[in-house]
Amino acid sequence: MALAITLGRAECGIQAPLVTIETHLANGLPAFSIVGLAETAVKESRDRVRSAIINSGFDFPARRITVNLAPADLPKHGGRFDLPIALGILAASGQVPPDCLEQVELAGELSLGGQLRGVSGMLPAAVQARSAERALILAEANATEAALVFPDGCHAASHLLEVCAHFAGERPLPLVPHANRESPTVAVPDLADVRGQARARRGLEIAAAGRHNILLAGPPGTGKSMLATRITGILPPMAEAECLETAAVHSLSHGGFAPAKWGHRPFRAPHHSASHVALAGGGQRPRPGEISLAHNGVLFLDELPEFSRQSLEILREPLESGEVTISRAASQVVYPARFQLIAAMNPCPCGFLGDTVEACRCAPEQISRYRSRLSGPLLDRIDLHVEVTRLPAEDLQGARASEPSHRIAERVRAAYQRRMTESGKPSAELNAAELDAACALGPGEMQFARGALEQMRLSARGYHRLLRVARTIADLSEEGRVSTESLSEALSYRRLPMS
Ligand SMILES: Nc1ncnc2c1ncn2[C@@H]1O[C@H](COP(=O)(O)OP(=O)(O)O)[C@@H](O)[C@H]1O
Ligand SMILES: [Mg+2]
């Protein structure tokens, strides 16, 4: 047979579309061409494939070889198609049996000597191969990652010869077992370390239970950064689909996905000097940015007003839609970015505005310039605004230990699960109609809410924010309907006069 078909997958956001690699050997002057809008990298693969085939002791057919990667309009970069191209040539020239090739997906870069090298971003491809019910053969370097999604394990090879022996039925490739997903418990800082600050702690608990965005504002040294980094210990568990999605995004990043992080909600804390691309994602070959790496987890922006306006504007789209679109000249890539925002800020440039001890040294226009960096629409997307005040000495020195994270985590988990069971999503993601149904306000509560609406001149957006927070508070106290107490506590977390 002079025609062979092998299968691979392209990288395109966290999608991994199937690519069919057709290899045709025709009579005529020896030539080797790869078509299908292959980028430079795929053209380079021509040289690697030729050398790998020859150096593995096979014949490189002296015929007119045409390789077509279809569909044509997908971005096809990287050496990941070396293996399916080489197998296609060997099958078309009768050196490897062609049957079974179409039940397997192949990925891996070849060295000139025929060694199989790992490629980046294999997890999305593994997820898709699994749902297409095909086996996957890849480099050993990628196998642990890919085995996370294959219950029966996946095939790993270190050399082209091993893959050929597998198809020839001589020596089946070893199966890398399904990874143990019992994520090791990593030591994270505990909320027991934080003295006093009952209000901020409560705010964090509500934020964690409903996946609300939260802003902590207060003078320096009051424990804002300390509190924010401790939210990881109280976040609700992730569903399987969330684990997979988060792992898939990380798999596309430079660092790749570390299997030990399976099941842990990510916590990303980019510095305020981070570039636009580092935050949103992008680059020559688009990579997910911090906001996507925080998908299903937390994005912590410390010293919020220090971020450039441009950086803060980037957040608006993902805060609304849960994804970010990276546009390039030729194509668009969409990465998921459903993160929970935790922001911390000082109330003014010197930090002591409203402090009980130290006097603020800022001029009024300095303060208004500082605040104006935060746009209203951004602040509107933050459900909980909490003022963190200076800790009284007796709280700081007091012998009473604070509640440890694992106890708070239990309440958070119960409240989160209650909402997931009833509404199918956390409170922070409920829309107006879903909120009305979920809160089921009685006449008394209606009246209370209307009073708040009028007295505090809440906008429609502000009103819904109030209901979302109240719903979570009610979930934490196991209330079916939202009570007046829950509403009134929720009101105390509305936008601060200082922001
Ligand atoms: N509530 C607190 N309980 C215990 N230590 C605290 C508390 N608040 C502040 N500290 C101490 O002060 C340090 C600075 O706190 P930090 O979280 O960086 O404050 P901020 O971010 O508000 O400026 C912490 O590392 C911790 O040692
Ligand atoms: Mg700080």
Side-chain angles (χ1 to χ4, degrees), residues 193-195 197 219-226 391 396:
D193 308 337
V194 180
R195 295 301 181 99
Q197 303 300 19
T222 47
K224 301 182 296 295
S225 307
M226 199 180 172
L391 196 61
L396 189 57

Side-chain angles (χ1 to χ4, degrees), residues 273-282 289-291 308 310-311 313-314 326:
S273 63
S275 71
H276 179 277
V277 169
L279 281 175
E290 289 292 334
I291 61 172
S308 72
Q310 195 200 12
S311 297
E313 284 307 296
I314 299 170
I326 297 165

Side-chain angles (χ1 to χ4, degrees), residues 52-133:
I53 288 182
I54 295 170
N55 290 325
S56 303
F58 293 105
D59 280 334
F60 193 81
R63 301 176 68 185
R64 252 172 65 91
I65 307 173
T66 310
V67 176
N68 180 33
L69 277 68
D73 55 353
L74 289 170
K76 302 190 207 75
H77 28 223
R80 54 169 63 208
F81 297 107
D82 287 3
L83 183 63
I85 292 173
L87 258 296
I89 294 174
L90 292 172
S93 56
Q95 303 180 78
V96 161
D99 23 288
C100 309
L101 275 180
E102 280 178 65
Q103 284 132 44
V104 179
E105 295 183 11
L106 302 158
E109 183 175 319
L110 289 168
S111 76
L112 301 185
Q115 266 93 18
L116 200 54
R117 293 188 174 134
V119 293
S120 68
M122 268 322 290
L123 205 46
V127 172
Q128 297 298 330
R130 157 97 204 275
S131 51
E133 298 184 0

Side-chain angles (χ1 to χ4, degrees), residues 220-221 223-226 300 302-303 344 346:
K224 301 182 296 295
S225 307
M226 199 180 172
F300 173 39
D302 206 354
E303 314 288 354
N346 294 338

